[in-house]
Structures are given as structure tokens and as C-alpha cells.
Amino acid sequence: MSGLIDIHTHYVPNGWPDLRADAGPDAPWLRAETESEAMIMMGDKEFRRIGADCWHAETRLLDMDADGVRTQVVSPTPAFFNYGRTGEQAGRIARIFNDLALEIVAPAPDRLIPFCQVPLQDPDAACRELERCLAAGHRGVEVGNHVGDRDLDSAGVETFLQHCASLGVPVFVHPWDMAESPRLDRWMARWLTAMPAETHLSILALVLGGVFDRIDPSLKICFAHGGGSFAFWLGRMENAWHRRNDVIGTSEFPPSHYLDRFHVDSVVFDERALRLLVDTLGAEHVMVGSDYPYPLGERPVGEVVRKSGFLNETERQLITSGNAERFLSLS
């Protein structure tokens, strides 16, 4: 079947029950402004203006057709992870959003693939919610790249990832809750610098934290935004692992040994950056992602992959659909 598979898109429901009585006055809610426009609110603060493409399947399908996208993975918007709340609160919120996600994708189950969210701060509850969602129709899970000060190599998160591996569930890792400072509050610098750094750090945690040494190689895991800055700085990490092994020799092998253990998406916006990803990770570990429908995403979807002259047709087919078919168990 022809057409792109977009591994990285997000949804927001067109409203949900009031969470503030249970989760506090800063809980997320949606301020509807017109039939096709709304504002995500965090308590009394405006967070992000969104449109019907976040919740309306027909709008998404029209955009997909225009961009030649066969299938979308539809994942939560990371602002709703709620890892800073209690596990019980985050679990209730996750159940609400996960059930609403199934309603959003219901009009096109052959083209819109839902990924759920889980209360990752409570690994047992996260495993239970994952299993509930899989039974209901979700096909994978999106997680944030850290839980408070705990990275992906924390014991609880590793337990959850191992459960995903045992079930054959694909995991999509998205950065969230980035560092704030006056220096990062200009020019969207948190999105332009802190977000790639967060993703880089989360891959490093799986490597130097020894997770890839301990966890089943069957784990299917993909990192957003081209893996952040990881590919560019692999040489620096490799050098440090050899020259300061007394400090960072915490993995059984140097970082380059683990390049076949994860995927990244292609939303890097520049042929030179995509070439670096392919040269570093191999074409078989890159999948088209767009960050649809948000303004910092790529439209038309997959444009850089389509136009990159360094790719041969076999590599292009892998990146546009072949890798995702295997990652999502579609073939």
C-alpha cells in the first residue's frame, strides 16, 4: 500500500470533564472560542491555541490526503501527562483522555492509530492502564522523557518499558516539562534548544543508565524530533566513554554499540540533518514524523524525506513506510 506513515502526531479532545475539583485549580481545561478554535488552559493561564485539526477526524484526513499520508499515529499532547500529580490523579486523567482519543480516531480506524498515555510516576498503575488501553483498541503508548528528576533509567520506568517489550507494544518518547529560565523564555528558546537537549538526555539515560544492557532487545522505542541532538554529539559521548570511563563507563559497551536499539522520527526540517541521522543510525531506524497539527511541525508531511537527493529508493521506502510498518506491526 502506498503513502506515508506519520509516526508523530498529536490530538486534543474537544472538551473533557472538569478536572479542577480533583486535580487542583491548575488542572487543564479547554476554553472553546468557536466551533473550530479553542484555547488550552492550565488553570487561569493560556497554554496553546488549537484548532479542529486536533480533534476532528475529517479535518485530519483531508490534510493527510493533501500530504500523501496513508496512516497517522495519533498520540497525546504531552502537556496532559500530569506526571507532577499523584499517580491516582494522573491515572484518572489518563483514562479520560485515552477514552476520548478512541472517539477521535473511530471514524477512520484503518488510518488513525491511537497511542495512549499512562501515569508513569506509578509503574504498576501505568502497566494496568496500558493493558486496559490495549484491550480497548490503542496500539502503542507515548511517554514523556522524564518523571520529575527521574530519567528513563529509573527503576520504575524501566519496569514499565520491560512490560511494553513483553507485550510487543511500541513506545514513542516525547520531551516535555522543559527547563525554564529568563534566558530560555525568549524566541521560543525552550522549544528550540531545551527540547532537543531533553531528548538527547533521555537516549543517554537508556545507554549510560544501562537500560539497553538489561532490557529485552525486543523493546520497540522511538524518540521524537530526530532524537534531539544525540546524533550530532555521538562522537563526543563516544570519546568521553573511552577517555573518562572511570566516570561514565556505566554501560557495558560504548554508546555507538546501541544505535540499533531505537528509532527516531524525521522531523528535522533540513536535508543535512536528515543525512546525519541516516549516516549515524541507518535508514532502517528513521521514520517519518511531522508533529502535526502544531505550528512547529513539518508541512507537507515528509517533505524533507521526499526531496533529499542522497537517499536511494530503498532507503526512502524504509523511512516513509517500511520501518513504521514493522514498528507498528502493520505488515
Side-chain angles (χ1 to χ4, degrees):
M1 184 183 296
S2 62
L4 302 174
I5 299 176
D6 187 349
I7 200 76
H8 179 181
T9 83
H10 298 288
Y11 78 90
V12 179
N14 186 20
W16 52 87
D18 192 338
L19 306 172
R20 286 169 285 184
D22 176 58
D26 62 338
W29 57 284
L30 198 68
R31 188 179 74 201
E33 299 185 342
T34 70
E35 289 186 359
S36 60
E37 295 181 333
M39 176 67 72
I40 299 174
M41 302 292 296
M42 297 296 179
D44 59 358
K45 295 181 179 179
E46 294 183 347
F47 175 75
R48 179 178 294 166
R49 186 173 301 281
I50 61 171
D53 44 12
C54 279
W55 63 76
H56 189 237
E58 291 305 319
T59 301
R60 300 180 78 100
L61 293 168
L62 287 172
D63 287 343
M64 290 166 65
D65 290 343
D67 289 0
V69 175
R70 180 211 321 173
T71 306
Q72 277 186 351
V73 171
V74 183
S75 292
T77 294
F80 303 125
F81 286 154
N82 290 284
Y83 294 160
R85 305 187 191 281
T86 68
E88 184 177 358
Q89 289 173 328
R92 283 197 290 269
I93 294 171
R95 287 192 292 275
I96 291 170
F97 278 83
N98 289 334
D99 290 347
L100 290 172
L102 294 177
E103 296 180 12
I104 291 172
V105 305
D110 57 331
R111 300 188 66 186
L112 302 176
I113 296 177
F115 271 31
C116 65
Q117 66 185 69
V118 295
L120 199 57
Q121 63 269 59
D122 183 337
D124 290 340
C127 291
R128 289 194 299 270
E129 178 61 11
L130 175 66
E131 292 175 359
R132 187 190 77 87
C133 288
L134 293 175
H138 286 267
R139 305 278 289 279
V141 60
E142 181 188 55
V143 300
N145 69 300
H146 67 104
V147 179
D149 291 329
R150 291 180 290 151
D151 282 308
L152 297 186
D153 62 324
S154 69
V157 177
E158 184 177 333
T159 295
F160 177 76
L161 294 177
Q162 184 63 68
H163 193 55
C164 292
S166 69
L167 296 174
V169 175
V171 180
F172 186 66
V173 181
H174 197 289
W176 83 293
D177 191 32
M178 299 163 289
E180 297 183 45
S181 78
R183 294 173 59 234
L184 291 173
D185 287 339
R186 301 187 295 168
W187 319 308
M188 295 191 74
R190 290 167 62 199
W191 280 261
L192 299 179
T193 64
M195 185 168 278
E198 284 286 350
T199 306
H200 178 169
L201 181 58
S202 62
I203 299 175
L204 200 61
L206 293 181
V207 173
L208 298 183
V211 178
F212 284 141
D213 292 326
R214 297 185 298 270
I215 206 162
D216 196 298
S218 64
L219 175 68
K220 296 189 287 188
I221 189 165
C222 178
F223 292 86
H225 311 128
S229 48
F230 177 86
F232 189 87
W233 289 115
L234 176 61
R236 183 175 178 85
M237 291 178 279
E238 195 83 353
N239 179 69
W241 193 91
H242 288 287
R243 291 180 177 267
R244 288 308 311 269
N245 194 266
D246 58 315
V247 177
I248 69 166
T250 49
S251 56
E252 185 176 352
F253 302 100
S256 61
H257 176 82
Y258 303 96
L259 297 181
D260 63 349
R261 295 294 300 273
F262 61 93
H263 291 75
V264 299
D265 73 17
S266 67
V267 60
V268 293
F269 308 99
D270 188 283
E271 180 175 344
R272 293 162 296 184
L274 182 64
R275 180 192 288 268
L276 176 62
L277 284 184
V278 172
D279 286 348
T280 303
L281 299 176
E284 65 275 16
H285 293 284
V286 182
M287 300 183 284
V288 163
S290 70
D291 215 349
Y292 177 95
Y294 294 132
L296 294 186
E298 183 187 41
R299 293 292 307 275
V301 175
E303 184 79 348
V304 172
V305 174
R306 286 192 181 101
K307 291 185 174 180
S308 289
F310 72 91
L311 293 171
N312 62 44
E313 286 311 303
T314 297
E315 292 170 330
R316 204 182 317 274
Q317 190 278 329
L318 286 172
I319 295 171
T320 55
S321 60
N323 294 332
E325 286 172 349
R326 287 188 292 274
F327 186 77
L328 300 168
S329 301
L330 298 181
S331 57

